[in-house]
Amino acid sequence: MRREDIADLTAFVTVAEEGSFTKAATRLGISQSALSQIVRRLEDRLGLRLLARTTRSVAPTPAGDRLVRRLGPLLREIDSDLAELSEFRDTPTGNIRITSVEHAAKTILIPALAEVLPGYPDVNVEVIVDYGLVDVVADRFDAGVRLGEQVAKDMISVRISPDIPMAIVGAPAYLTQHPVPKTPEDLVEHRAINLRLPSSETINAWRLSKNGEAKRVRVEGALSFNTVELIRKSVLLGQGLAYLPRDQVEDDLARGTLSQVLADWTPPLPGYHLYYPNRRHSSPAFRLVVDALKARLRRLS
């Protein structure tokens, strides 16, 4: 196969996976018009239409879909094999993509990466924040970070954090107007500021337990967000109660700008895990990131 054939097939697979010439062109670092010409040239050479184009979307035809399903894994394997060649260099090099929830990115990934990356200028890490349950293989991530219980069984899973203390909090102004809840049942009298989960299109359940009795409670409220920081800002303004990692509101509790309720009903969540596909090899750059996260956990434990 000619070298240009491989390049053209790679371009086609990228467009099919992104569902957009614009996004694919950005990913490949070429112009949209050049990418369109490449795909058209490939279709002409094969005598097949590979992509169905409309003004709003791009999707593979049946022939294109078959080609994507065959070629996609092969091209990703080639990328992985090329990345592994960096082990023959004196220092690690390469790009690492990680999907993570916001809290883990803020409290675990950023501090660990800040310690290790300055010493390795050829290692680049991209962290994408997403509360959905991401398929790291299909979405071309090297790894993901989620609570340990959320990791699929076919993934390698590495614990990277201790358990996560949680707190139900409200502003004093809110709690003067609403009775302080003593039991989970009292929460029906309150408004909540919730975290919206994109995968299930539901709000995040509050995990409560006491004396062996466990409950998952969804408290109604007019406000929901997809970031912890926006929830915190809203609870500080007296908009309702919120269920948040305690380390994100520790200073607010110390200053008295927030108060914790139902503390005896609020257990910690299981710690975060890094998860990734079960591959025979991983690049030195990826092992560098994994080792940095493990080292940080040892210091925190």
Side-chain angles (χ1 to χ4, degrees), residues 126-169:
E126 179 182 6
V127 178
I128 304 298
V129 170
D130 189 343
Y131 277 96
L133 297 178
V134 174
D135 183 334
V136 293
V137 175
D139 292 336
R140 302 180 306 282
F141 286 100
D142 295 286
V145 176
R146 297 293 187 274
L147 297 177
E149 63 186 29
Q150 297 175 322
V151 176
K153 301 299 183 185
D154 61 345
M155 292 282 152
I156 295 175
S157 179
V158 179
R159 188 181 181 100
I160 60 171
S161 87
D163 286 350
I164 306 155
M166 300 295 292
I168 299 174
V169 294

Side-chain angles (χ1 to χ4, degrees), residues 76-149:
R76 284 191 286 273
E77 179 123 358
I78 290 171
D79 284 341
S80 178
D81 289 341
L82 290 174
E84 288 169 14
L85 291 177
S86 64
E87 66 183 298
F88 294 101
R89 292 169 55 101
D90 293 334
T91 59
T93 181
N95 302 317
I96 307 296
R97 297 185 75 235
I98 301 174
T99 171
S100 175
V101 294
E102 175 196 9
H103 180 245
K106 183 177 180 180
T107 61
I108 304 298
L109 292 179
I110 289 176
L113 294 172
E115 292 176 358
V116 70
L117 288 186
Y120 298 91
D122 294 325
V123 175
N124 302 302
V125 180
E126 179 182 6
V127 178
I128 304 298
V129 170
D130 189 343
Y131 277 96
L133 297 178
V134 174
D135 183 334
V136 293
V137 175
D139 292 336
R140 302 180 306 282
F141 286 100
D142 295 286
V145 176
R146 297 293 187 274
L147 297 177
E149 63 186 29

